[in-house]
Amino acid sequence: MDFTPTEEQEAARELAGRIFADLSTHERLRAAGTGTDAELWKALCAAGLPGAVEETGLLGLVLLLEEQGCRTAQVPFAASCVYGVLAVARHGMEEQRSRLLPGLRDGTTVATGALPAPGTVAAADGRLSGAVDWVPWLRDATHVLVPDEERALWLVRTEDAAAVEAVELTAPWSAARLVLDGTPAERLGGTGAHDDVLAAARIAFAGLQAGVCAGSLARAVEYTSVREQFGRPLSTRQAVQLRAADAHMDTEAIRVTAYEAAWRFDEGLDAAGAALTAAWWASEAGKRVVHAGQHLHGGMGADLDHPVHRHFLWGRQLDAYLGCGTELLAGLGDLLAERDLS
């Protein structure tokens, strides 16, 4: 395997890093509250970054999401790229691709996904009924990808839904409850599309978690290097160094497992197990890192307005969204058992 970014991937990452650094500042995030930063989203789309994912692949998307996570930028970038750009490009019919991809590339169409949520929605004659308790970025989305109880994927226009009821999550992800009542929908993909999109989502959001953790750790390192106690920087204390070192190793484990899973996905190899592994590391290790980042800030870490607190909220939200460690391990165990039986 080779995780070395291509020139296109590296150029996209550098561009995304500059845009996030310029526009996703503490002051702008505080002003945005729990909503999306519309100006930042326009800047990303104007730079062509959502559309670039078609060329750079899932590994390229992971690199971009690391930049987003480092600054906890409040835009539906991960959701629209995974459940929109990649899902339509890989599983849409030619007519769907020509109709939907231009809007997804320029940001006028925003997609999200009600995954994983099997068994909550029923399909009959191209219409869906049921509810999904919370869908990230649904308040910003024009389309939502919904799995039915048979694990078929359907694309629904949010304006056609029976209700989109705003809910607040741990992280400010502009989420909402989706209610469907005979809502018209169009099928996306065939057999295997659900598992393919779910694996891509797990890998992408693991990459986002790697960025969240890297940002949290960077803030902790900066703080402990200047904060003094008894005439010495906190960073000179062995306990602080060990805690930071553990957080660094956890962050690297999240990053490398996400890279491996994305590489396998892009190469057309079986990535289901690697996706579950990356998601498990992002869930379990991610919690440890954001807790360490807040703890290493001492009393400042208890300030809800401190930038490091956003990393804590995002880390815990990603843990919940990915499915939590025990659930992911159970899924990985089932997958391994199925392979042994076959």
Side-chain angles (χ1 to χ4, degrees):
M1 65 190 75
D2 183 5
F3 302 153
T4 304
T6 64
E7 291 184 7
E8 292 78 8
Q9 290 170 337
E10 189 61 42
R13 175 166 62 178
E14 290 178 0
L15 178 57
R18 289 198 300 270
I19 295 173
F20 286 127
D22 290 342
L23 295 181
S24 188
T25 62
H26 176 55
E27 292 73 23
R28 287 178 60 86
L29 286 167
R30 184 164 52 186
T34 61
T36 293
D37 188 331
E39 183 179 344
L40 173 57
W41 178 241
K42 289 179 181 178
L44 292 167
C45 295
L49 289 175
V53 172
E54 292 178 79
E55 301 297 327
T56 61
L58 186 55
L59 181 55
L61 177 57
V62 166
L63 297 174
L64 299 182
L65 292 177
E66 281 191 84
E67 298 295 333
Q68 179 187 1
C70 279
R71 297 164 181 86
T72 58
Q74 290 173 201
V75 285
F77 193 67
S80 197
C81 287
V82 170
Y83 300 123
V85 175
L86 288 179
V88 173
R90 288 174 65 88
H91 301 289
M93 294 183 293
E94 184 176 351
E95 185 278 330
Q96 289 175 313
R97 293 195 298 270
S98 61
R99 171 166 48 90
L100 295 169
L101 282 175
L104 289 165
R105 292 174 186 137
D106 65 23
T108 55
T109 299
V110 179
T112 188
L115 277 74
T120 59
V121 174
D125 299 323
R127 294 182 176 270
L128 305 182
S129 296
V132 183
D133 288 338
W134 64 275
V135 180
W137 307 109
L138 184 59
R139 280 179 270 166
D140 298 324
T142 58
H143 293 73
V144 55
L145 196 61
V146 182
D148 66 18
E149 56 193 359
E150 302 298 328
R151 297 167 71 89
L153 291 180
W154 301 85
L155 199 60
V156 177
R157 295 190 305 172
T158 51
E159 63 181 21
D160 293 335
V164 174
E165 304 164 350
V167 297
E168 296 300 336
L169 305 180
T170 302
W173 285 4
S174 298
R177 182 172 185 264
L178 178 67
V179 181
L180 305 170
D181 186 8
T183 303
E186 59 178 309
R187 181 73 182 270
L188 185 72
T191 303
H194 175 277
D195 291 347
D196 183 79
V197 173
L198 180 57
R202 283 171 169 156
I203 297 165
F205 281 94
L208 183 61
Q209 182 75 301
V212 170
C213 292
S216 175
L217 181 58
R219 292 188 182 280
V221 169
E222 180 182 11
Y223 178 79
T224 56
S225 297
V226 298
R227 177 72 168 88
E228 292 190 356
Q229 186 180 58
F230 305 119
R232 294 168 56 193
L234 287 174
S235 59
T236 63
R237 308 290 176 179
Q238 187 178 47
V240 171
Q241 294 172 359
L242 292 174
R243 190 80 188 275
D246 286 342
H248 171 73
M249 294 305 297
D250 274 337
T251 301
E252 288 303 300
I254 299 169
R255 178 179 287 119
V256 74
T257 52
Y259 285 4
E260 179 187 3
W263 175 81
R264 293 185 65 86
F265 187 90
D266 288 339
E267 292 295 313
L269 303 173
D270 182 8
L276 282 165
T277 302
W280 181 84
W281 273 104
S283 173
E284 287 294 294
K287 282 185 296 189
R288 291 196 296 266
V289 174
V290 296
H291 275 267
Q294 192 155 359
H295 187 200
L296 288 172
H297 277 75
M300 292 299 295
D303 181 359
L304 301 185
D305 193 48
H306 195 284
V308 77
H309 186 65
R310 279 194 294 271
H311 292 271
F312 175 78
L313 296 178
W314 277 64
R316 292 312 308 255
Q317 185 64 65
L318 282 163
D319 165 42
Y321 185 61
L322 288 166
C324 301
T326 52
E327 182 179 341
L328 292 165
L329 278 184
L332 184 58
D334 291 341
L335 179 65
L336 294 175
E338 289 173 8
R339 289 176 178 176
D340 286 343
L341 290 175
S342 63

